[in-house]
Short mmCIF file of all heavy atoms in Angstrom, two decimals:
data_model
loop_
_atom_site.label_atom_id
_atom_site.label_comp_id
_atom_site.label_asym_id
_atom_site.label_seq_id
_atom_site.Cartn_x
_atom_site.Cartn_y
_atom_site.Cartn_z
N MET A 24 -20.58 8.91 -14.32
CA MET A 24 -19.22 8.47 -14.13
C MET A 24 -18.29 9.45 -14.85
O MET A 24 -18.58 9.93 -15.92
CB MET A 24 -19.03 7.06 -14.71
CG MET A 24 -20.00 6.03 -14.15
SD MET A 24 -19.28 4.76 -13.08
CE MET A 24 -19.23 5.51 -11.51
N LYS A 25 -17.14 9.69 -14.20
CA LYS A 25 -16.18 10.67 -14.72
C LYS A 25 -14.92 9.97 -15.16
O LYS A 25 -14.68 8.80 -14.86
CB LYS A 25 -15.86 11.70 -13.65
CG LYS A 25 -17.02 12.55 -13.22
CD LYS A 25 -16.58 13.53 -12.15
CE LYS A 25 -17.76 14.35 -11.63
NZ LYS A 25 -17.35 15.21 -10.51
N LYS A 26 -14.08 10.73 -15.85
CA LYS A 26 -12.75 10.29 -16.25
C LYS A 26 -11.75 11.28 -15.63
O LYS A 26 -12.01 12.46 -15.53
CB LYS A 26 -12.60 10.27 -17.75
CG LYS A 26 -13.51 9.27 -18.41
CD LYS A 26 -13.33 9.29 -19.92
CE LYS A 26 -14.31 8.33 -20.57
NZ LYS A 26 -14.23 8.35 -22.03
N TYR A 27 -10.60 10.74 -15.24
CA TYR A 27 -9.53 11.54 -14.65
C TYR A 27 -8.24 11.28 -15.40
O TYR A 27 -7.93 10.12 -15.71
CB TYR A 27 -9.35 11.18 -13.18
CG TYR A 27 -10.54 11.57 -12.34
CD1 TYR A 27 -11.68 10.77 -12.30
CD2 TYR A 27 -10.52 12.73 -11.58
CE1 TYR A 27 -12.81 11.15 -11.54
CE2 TYR A 27 -11.61 13.11 -10.81
CZ TYR A 27 -12.75 12.33 -10.80
OH TYR A 27 -13.83 12.70 -10.04
N VAL A 28 -7.50 12.32 -15.67
CA VAL A 28 -6.24 12.18 -16.41
C VAL A 28 -5.06 12.55 -15.52
O VAL A 28 -5.13 13.48 -14.73
CB VAL A 28 -6.23 13.04 -17.71
CG1 VAL A 28 -6.33 14.51 -17.40
CG2 VAL A 28 -5.02 12.74 -18.56
N CYS A 29 -3.99 11.77 -15.63
CA CYS A 29 -2.77 12.04 -14.89
C CYS A 29 -2.08 13.23 -15.54
O CYS A 29 -1.82 13.23 -16.77
CB CYS A 29 -1.87 10.79 -14.95
SG CYS A 29 -0.25 11.06 -14.18
N ASP A 30 -1.80 14.24 -14.74
CA ASP A 30 -1.12 15.44 -15.25
C ASP A 30 0.30 15.17 -15.72
O ASP A 30 0.82 15.92 -16.53
CB ASP A 30 -1.06 16.54 -14.16
CG ASP A 30 -2.42 17.09 -13.83
OD1 ASP A 30 -3.32 17.09 -14.70
OD2 ASP A 30 -2.60 17.57 -12.68
N VAL A 31 0.91 14.12 -15.23
CA VAL A 31 2.31 13.85 -15.57
C VAL A 31 2.45 13.05 -16.86
O VAL A 31 3.19 13.44 -17.76
CB VAL A 31 2.99 13.10 -14.39
CG1 VAL A 31 4.42 12.71 -14.75
CG2 VAL A 31 2.98 13.97 -13.14
N CYS A 32 1.68 11.95 -16.99
CA CYS A 32 1.92 11.07 -18.16
C CYS A 32 0.70 10.97 -19.10
O CYS A 32 0.84 10.41 -20.19
CB CYS A 32 2.35 9.69 -17.70
SG CYS A 32 1.03 8.70 -16.93
N GLY A 33 -0.46 11.43 -18.66
CA GLY A 33 -1.62 11.39 -19.53
C GLY A 33 -2.48 10.14 -19.42
O GLY A 33 -3.47 10.01 -20.15
N TRP A 34 -2.12 9.23 -18.52
CA TRP A 34 -2.94 8.01 -18.34
C TRP A 34 -4.32 8.41 -17.85
O TRP A 34 -4.46 9.32 -17.05
CB TRP A 34 -2.26 7.06 -17.34
CG TRP A 34 -3.00 5.78 -17.12
CD1 TRP A 34 -2.99 4.70 -17.92
CD2 TRP A 34 -3.85 5.46 -16.01
NE1 TRP A 34 -3.76 3.71 -17.38
CE2 TRP A 34 -4.32 4.16 -16.20
CE3 TRP A 34 -4.26 6.15 -14.87
CZ2 TRP A 34 -5.16 3.49 -15.32
CZ3 TRP A 34 -5.10 5.50 -13.98
CH2 TRP A 34 -5.55 4.19 -14.20
N VAL A 35 -5.37 7.76 -18.36
CA VAL A 35 -6.74 8.12 -18.01
C VAL A 35 -7.39 7.03 -17.19
O VAL A 35 -7.36 5.86 -17.56
CB VAL A 35 -7.59 8.39 -19.29
CG1 VAL A 35 -9.04 8.65 -18.94
CG2 VAL A 35 -7.01 9.55 -20.08
N TYR A 36 -7.93 7.43 -16.04
CA TYR A 36 -8.76 6.53 -15.22
C TYR A 36 -10.21 6.82 -15.53
O TYR A 36 -10.69 7.94 -15.31
CB TYR A 36 -8.49 6.71 -13.73
CG TYR A 36 -9.41 5.85 -12.89
CD1 TYR A 36 -9.23 4.48 -12.84
CD2 TYR A 36 -10.50 6.39 -12.22
CE1 TYR A 36 -10.10 3.66 -12.13
CE2 TYR A 36 -11.37 5.59 -11.48
CZ TYR A 36 -11.16 4.22 -11.47
OH TYR A 36 -12.02 3.42 -10.77
N ASP A 37 -10.93 5.83 -16.04
CA ASP A 37 -12.33 5.94 -16.36
C ASP A 37 -13.12 5.19 -15.30
O ASP A 37 -12.98 3.97 -15.17
CB ASP A 37 -12.58 5.35 -17.74
CG ASP A 37 -13.99 5.50 -18.25
OD1 ASP A 37 -14.93 5.64 -17.43
OD2 ASP A 37 -14.17 5.48 -19.47
N GLU A 38 -13.92 5.94 -14.53
CA GLU A 38 -14.67 5.29 -13.44
C GLU A 38 -15.57 4.16 -13.95
O GLU A 38 -15.75 3.15 -13.26
CB GLU A 38 -15.53 6.32 -12.72
CG GLU A 38 -14.74 7.34 -11.94
CD GLU A 38 -15.59 8.37 -11.25
OE1 GLU A 38 -16.72 8.65 -11.70
OE2 GLU A 38 -15.13 8.93 -10.23
N ALA A 39 -16.14 4.32 -15.12
CA ALA A 39 -17.02 3.30 -15.67
C ALA A 39 -16.30 2.00 -15.94
O ALA A 39 -16.84 0.90 -15.78
CB ALA A 39 -17.69 3.81 -16.95
N LEU A 40 -15.02 2.11 -16.37
CA LEU A 40 -14.25 0.92 -16.73
C LEU A 40 -13.41 0.38 -15.58
O LEU A 40 -13.05 -0.80 -15.56
CB LEU A 40 -13.31 1.24 -17.90
CG LEU A 40 -13.97 1.69 -19.19
CD1 LEU A 40 -12.92 2.07 -20.22
CD2 LEU A 40 -14.92 0.63 -19.72
N GLY A 41 -13.08 1.26 -14.62
CA GLY A 41 -12.18 0.83 -13.55
C GLY A 41 -10.78 0.57 -14.11
O GLY A 41 -10.42 1.10 -15.14
N ASP A 42 -10.06 -0.31 -13.48
CA ASP A 42 -8.72 -0.71 -13.94
C ASP A 42 -8.53 -2.14 -13.45
O ASP A 42 -7.79 -2.42 -12.51
CB ASP A 42 -7.64 0.23 -13.39
CG ASP A 42 -6.27 -0.10 -13.92
OD1 ASP A 42 -6.14 -0.87 -14.89
OD2 ASP A 42 -5.29 0.40 -13.34
N GLU A 43 -9.19 -3.06 -14.16
CA GLU A 43 -9.18 -4.46 -13.71
C GLU A 43 -7.79 -5.07 -13.67
O GLU A 43 -7.53 -5.94 -12.85
CB GLU A 43 -10.14 -5.28 -14.58
CG GLU A 43 -11.59 -4.87 -14.33
CD GLU A 43 -12.59 -5.78 -15.00
OE1 GLU A 43 -12.90 -5.54 -16.19
OE2 GLU A 43 -13.04 -6.71 -14.32
N GLU A 44 -6.89 -4.60 -14.53
CA GLU A 44 -5.51 -5.12 -14.50
C GLU A 44 -4.85 -4.84 -13.16
O GLU A 44 -3.95 -5.56 -12.75
CB GLU A 44 -4.69 -4.49 -15.63
CG GLU A 44 -5.03 -5.00 -17.00
CD GLU A 44 -4.15 -4.35 -18.07
OE1 GLU A 44 -3.06 -3.84 -17.73
OE2 GLU A 44 -4.58 -4.38 -19.23
N ASN A 45 -5.30 -3.78 -12.51
CA ASN A 45 -4.72 -3.41 -11.20
C ASN A 45 -5.70 -3.59 -10.05
O ASN A 45 -5.55 -2.99 -8.98
CB ASN A 45 -4.22 -1.97 -11.27
CG ASN A 45 -3.03 -1.85 -12.19
OD1 ASN A 45 -1.98 -2.45 -11.96
ND2 ASN A 45 -3.18 -1.10 -13.28
N GLY A 46 -6.72 -4.43 -10.25
CA GLY A 46 -7.63 -4.79 -9.16
C GLY A 46 -8.72 -3.79 -8.84
O GLY A 46 -9.27 -3.85 -7.74
N ILE A 47 -9.02 -2.87 -9.75
CA ILE A 47 -10.03 -1.86 -9.49
C ILE A 47 -11.27 -2.20 -10.37
O ILE A 47 -11.20 -2.18 -11.59
CB ILE A 47 -9.53 -0.45 -9.81
CG1 ILE A 47 -8.27 -0.14 -8.96
CG2 ILE A 47 -10.63 0.57 -9.54
CD1 ILE A 47 -7.56 1.11 -9.36
N ALA A 48 -12.37 -2.53 -9.71
CA ALA A 48 -13.58 -2.97 -10.39
C ALA A 48 -14.22 -1.83 -11.19
O ALA A 48 -14.16 -0.67 -10.79
CB ALA A 48 -14.57 -3.52 -9.38
N PRO A 49 -14.88 -2.17 -12.31
CA PRO A 49 -15.65 -1.17 -13.05
C PRO A 49 -16.68 -0.52 -12.13
O PRO A 49 -17.24 -1.17 -11.24
CB PRO A 49 -16.34 -1.99 -14.15
CG PRO A 49 -15.47 -3.17 -14.34
CD PRO A 49 -14.92 -3.49 -12.96
N GLY A 50 -16.89 0.78 -12.31
CA GLY A 50 -17.85 1.52 -11.50
C GLY A 50 -17.25 2.12 -10.22
O GLY A 50 -17.96 2.76 -9.47
N THR A 51 -15.94 1.92 -10.01
CA THR A 51 -15.29 2.46 -8.81
C THR A 51 -15.00 3.94 -9.03
O THR A 51 -14.25 4.31 -9.94
CB THR A 51 -13.98 1.71 -8.49
OG1 THR A 51 -14.26 0.31 -8.31
CG2 THR A 51 -13.32 2.27 -7.23
N LYS A 52 -15.59 4.77 -8.18
CA LYS A 52 -15.37 6.22 -8.28
C LYS A 52 -13.94 6.55 -7.88
O LYS A 52 -13.36 5.92 -7.00
CB LYS A 52 -16.35 6.96 -7.41
CG LYS A 52 -17.78 6.87 -7.89
CD LYS A 52 -18.67 7.75 -7.03
CE LYS A 52 -20.10 7.71 -7.51
NZ LYS A 52 -20.33 8.54 -8.67
N PHE A 53 -13.39 7.59 -8.52
CA PHE A 53 -12.03 8.01 -8.21
C PHE A 53 -11.88 8.36 -6.74
O PHE A 53 -10.89 8.00 -6.12
CB PHE A 53 -11.67 9.23 -9.10
CG PHE A 53 -10.25 9.63 -9.02
CD1 PHE A 53 -9.25 8.92 -9.70
CD2 PHE A 53 -9.85 10.73 -8.26
CE1 PHE A 53 -7.92 9.30 -9.62
CE2 PHE A 53 -8.54 11.12 -8.18
CZ PHE A 53 -7.56 10.40 -8.86
N GLU A 54 -12.87 9.02 -6.19
CA GLU A 54 -12.83 9.43 -4.77
C GLU A 54 -12.80 8.22 -3.84
O GLU A 54 -12.38 8.33 -2.69
CB GLU A 54 -14.00 10.33 -4.42
CG GLU A 54 -15.34 9.66 -4.58
CD GLU A 54 -16.51 10.63 -4.56
OE1 GLU A 54 -16.39 11.73 -5.08
OE2 GLU A 54 -17.57 10.24 -4.03
N ASP A 55 -13.25 7.06 -4.33
CA ASP A 55 -13.27 5.85 -3.51
C ASP A 55 -11.99 5.02 -3.62
O ASP A 55 -11.83 4.01 -2.92
CB ASP A 55 -14.47 5.00 -3.86
CG ASP A 55 -15.79 5.64 -3.50
OD1 ASP A 55 -15.79 6.50 -2.57
OD2 ASP A 55 -16.82 5.32 -4.11
N LEU A 56 -11.07 5.43 -4.51
CA LEU A 56 -9.78 4.73 -4.60
C LEU A 56 -9.02 4.95 -3.32
O LEU A 56 -9.15 5.98 -2.66
CB LEU A 56 -8.97 5.23 -5.78
CG LEU A 56 -9.57 5.00 -7.18
CD1 LEU A 56 -8.72 5.71 -8.23
CD2 LEU A 56 -9.68 3.51 -7.47
N ASP A 57 -8.20 3.97 -2.94
CA ASP A 57 -7.39 4.10 -1.73
C ASP A 57 -6.56 5.38 -1.79
O ASP A 57 -6.14 5.81 -2.87
CB ASP A 57 -6.43 2.92 -1.58
CG ASP A 57 -7.15 1.62 -1.27
OD1 ASP A 57 -8.29 1.68 -0.78
OD2 ASP A 57 -6.58 0.57 -1.54
N ASP A 58 -6.30 5.98 -0.63
CA ASP A 58 -5.51 7.19 -0.57
C ASP A 58 -4.09 6.99 -1.09
O ASP A 58 -3.45 7.93 -1.55
CB ASP A 58 -5.43 7.71 0.87
CG ASP A 58 -6.75 8.29 1.34
OD1 ASP A 58 -7.59 8.68 0.48
OD2 ASP A 58 -6.96 8.36 2.56
N ASP A 59 -3.61 5.74 -1.07
CA ASP A 59 -2.27 5.46 -1.55
C ASP A 59 -2.24 5.02 -3.03
O ASP A 59 -1.24 4.55 -3.54
CB ASP A 59 -1.54 4.43 -0.68
CG ASP A 59 -2.27 3.07 -0.64
OD1 ASP A 59 -3.39 2.97 -1.17
OD2 ASP A 59 -1.70 2.15 -0.04
N PHE A 60 -3.39 5.22 -3.73
CA PHE A 60 -3.44 4.92 -5.15
C PHE A 60 -2.37 5.72 -5.89
O PHE A 60 -2.18 6.90 -5.63
CB PHE A 60 -4.82 5.26 -5.73
CG PHE A 60 -4.89 5.23 -7.23
CD1 PHE A 60 -5.09 4.05 -7.91
CD2 PHE A 60 -4.77 6.38 -7.97
CE1 PHE A 60 -5.14 4.00 -9.29
CE2 PHE A 60 -4.80 6.38 -9.36
CZ PHE A 60 -5.00 5.19 -10.02
N VAL A 61 -1.69 5.07 -6.83
CA VAL A 61 -0.75 5.77 -7.69
C VAL A 61 -1.02 5.43 -9.15
O VAL A 61 -1.57 4.37 -9.47
CB VAL A 61 0.73 5.42 -7.34
CG1 VAL A 61 1.09 5.90 -5.96
CG2 VAL A 61 1.00 3.93 -7.50
N CYS A 62 -0.64 6.31 -10.03
CA CYS A 62 -0.78 6.07 -11.47
C CYS A 62 -0.01 4.81 -11.84
O CYS A 62 1.16 4.68 -11.50
CB CYS A 62 -0.25 7.27 -12.23
SG CYS A 62 -0.27 7.05 -14.03
N PRO A 63 -0.66 3.88 -12.54
CA PRO A 63 0.04 2.62 -12.88
C PRO A 63 1.17 2.83 -13.90
O PRO A 63 2.02 1.95 -14.04
CB PRO A 63 -1.07 1.74 -13.46
CG PRO A 63 -2.16 2.65 -13.83
CD PRO A 63 -2.06 3.85 -12.95
N LEU A 64 1.20 3.97 -14.58
CA LEU A 64 2.28 4.19 -15.56
C LEU A 64 3.46 4.96 -14.97
O LEU A 64 4.61 4.60 -15.23
CB LEU A 64 1.74 4.96 -16.77
CG LEU A 64 0.78 4.20 -17.67
CD1 LEU A 64 0.45 5.05 -18.89
CD2 LEU A 64 1.35 2.88 -18.11
N CYS A 65 3.20 6.00 -14.19
CA CYS A 65 4.33 6.83 -13.76
C CYS A 65 4.48 6.92 -12.24
O CYS A 65 5.46 7.46 -11.75
CB CYS A 65 4.22 8.24 -14.36
SG CYS A 65 2.88 9.25 -13.71
N GLY A 66 3.50 6.42 -11.48
CA GLY A 66 3.65 6.32 -10.03
C GLY A 66 3.29 7.55 -9.21
O GLY A 66 3.53 7.54 -7.99
N VAL A 67 2.71 8.58 -9.81
CA VAL A 67 2.33 9.76 -9.01
C VAL A 67 1.00 9.49 -8.32
O VAL A 67 0.21 8.64 -8.71
CB VAL A 67 2.23 11.05 -9.85
CG1 VAL A 67 3.58 11.40 -10.45
CG2 VAL A 67 1.18 10.95 -10.93
N GLY A 68 0.75 10.26 -7.24
CA GLY A 68 -0.46 10.06 -6.43
C GLY A 68 -1.71 10.71 -7.02
O GLY A 68 -1.69 11.39 -8.05
N LYS A 69 -2.82 10.47 -6.31
CA LYS A 69 -4.14 10.99 -6.73
C LYS A 69 -4.17 12.50 -6.92
O LYS A 69 -4.94 13.02 -7.71
CB LYS A 69 -5.21 10.59 -5.72
CG LYS A 69 -5.56 9.13 -5.74
CD LYS A 69 -6.51 8.76 -4.59
CE LYS A 69 -7.88 9.33 -4.74
NZ LYS A 69 -8.82 8.82 -3.72
N ASP A 70 -3.31 13.19 -6.16
CA ASP A 70 -3.30 14.65 -6.23
C ASP A 70 -2.78 15.17 -7.57
O ASP A 70 -2.91 16.37 -7.87
CB ASP A 70 -2.49 15.25 -5.09
CG ASP A 70 -1.05 14.84 -5.09
OD1 ASP A 70 -0.72 13.73 -5.58
OD2 ASP A 70 -0.20 15.61 -4.60
N GLN A 71 -2.24 14.29 -8.42
CA GLN A 71 -1.73 14.69 -9.71
C GLN A 71 -2.72 14.38 -10.84
O GLN A 71 -2.36 14.39 -12.02
CB GLN A 71 -0.41 13.97 -9.98
CG GLN A 71 0.71 14.37 -9.02
CD GLN A 71 1.11 15.83 -9.18
OE1 GLN A 71 1.36 16.30 -10.27
NE2 GLN A 71 1.19 16.54 -8.07
N PHE A 72 -3.98 14.09 -10.48
CA PHE A 72 -5.03 13.80 -11.47
C PHE A 72 -6.05 14.92 -11.46
O PHE A 72 -6.30 15.57 -10.45
CB PHE A 72 -5.74 12.50 -11.12
CG PHE A 72 -4.99 11.25 -11.49
CD1 PHE A 72 -3.91 10.82 -10.73
CD2 PHE A 72 -5.36 10.49 -12.60
CE1 PHE A 72 -3.23 9.66 -11.06
CE2 PHE A 72 -4.69 9.34 -12.94
CZ PHE A 72 -3.63 8.92 -12.17
N GLN A 73 -6.66 15.12 -12.63
CA GLN A 73 -7.77 16.07 -12.73
C GLN A 73 -8.82 15.49 -13.66
O GLN A 73 -8.55 14.63 -14.48
CB GLN A 73 -7.29 17.44 -13.22
CG GLN A 73 -6.69 17.42 -14.61
CD GLN A 73 -6.21 18.81 -15.01
OE1 GLN A 73 -6.84 19.81 -14.72
NE2 GLN A 73 -5.07 18.88 -15.68
N THR A 74 -10.07 15.97 -13.51
CA THR A 74 -11.15 15.49 -14.35
C THR A 74 -10.86 15.89 -15.80
O THR A 74 -10.20 16.90 -16.07
CB THR A 74 -12.53 16.03 -13.94
OG1 THR A 74 -12.48 17.43 -13.94
CG2 THR A 74 -12.91 15.49 -12.58
N CYS A 75 -11.33 15.07 -16.73
CA CYS A 75 -11.11 15.38 -18.15
C CYS A 75 -12.33 15.03 -18.97
O CYS A 75 -13.24 14.37 -18.49
CB CYS A 75 -9.88 14.64 -18.68
SG CYS A 75 -10.10 12.83 -18.80
N ASP A 76 -12.32 15.46 -20.21
CA ASP A 76 -13.41 15.21 -21.14
C ASP A 76 -13.03 14.22 -22.22
O ASP A 76 -13.64 14.22 -23.26
CB ASP A 76 -13.85 16.55 -21.77
CG ASP A 76 -14.38 17.51 -20.76
OD1 ASP A 76 -15.07 17.07 -19.81
OD2 ASP A 76 -14.10 18.71 -20.88
N VAL A 77 -12.04 13.39 -21.97
CA VAL A 77 -11.56 12.42 -22.97
C VAL A 77 -12.61 11.37 -23.21
O VAL A 77 -13.26 10.89 -22.32
CB VAL A 77 -10.25 11.76 -22.49
CG1 VAL A 77 -9.83 10.67 -23.46
CG2 VAL A 77 -9.15 12.79 -22.35
#
């Protein structure tokens, strides 16, 4: 499982944890998120995220 960080605000999506507050189950891979997924903090799309080592 990987982690992805938003280039704009720094919010981290951890595939292992998901984002249950926003309806994303633990274990959901970033690539499997809907194409219209946006950062819950700043609203940018998936194209503004990159893998990270956080």
Side-chain angles (χ1 to χ4, degrees):
M24 304 250 85
K25 296 179 183 176
K26 295 179 184 178
Y27 293 80
V28 64
C29 175
D30 291 333
V31 176
C32 72
W34 182 79
V35 175
Y36 175 72
D37 185 335
E38 292 179 334
L40 300 177
D42 184 14
E43 292 189 273
E44 288 182 20
N45 292 297
I47 302 170
T51 302
K52 293 185 178 280
F53 188 78
E54 63 194 35
D55 293 335
L56 295 174
D57 291 338
D58 289 338
D59 61 353
F60 169 83
V61 295
C62 176
L64 292 185
C65 70
V67 297
K69 288 173 69 173
D70 61 332
Q71 296 293 311
F72 281 76
Q73 62 182 320
T74 57
C75 69
D76 297 322
V77 174

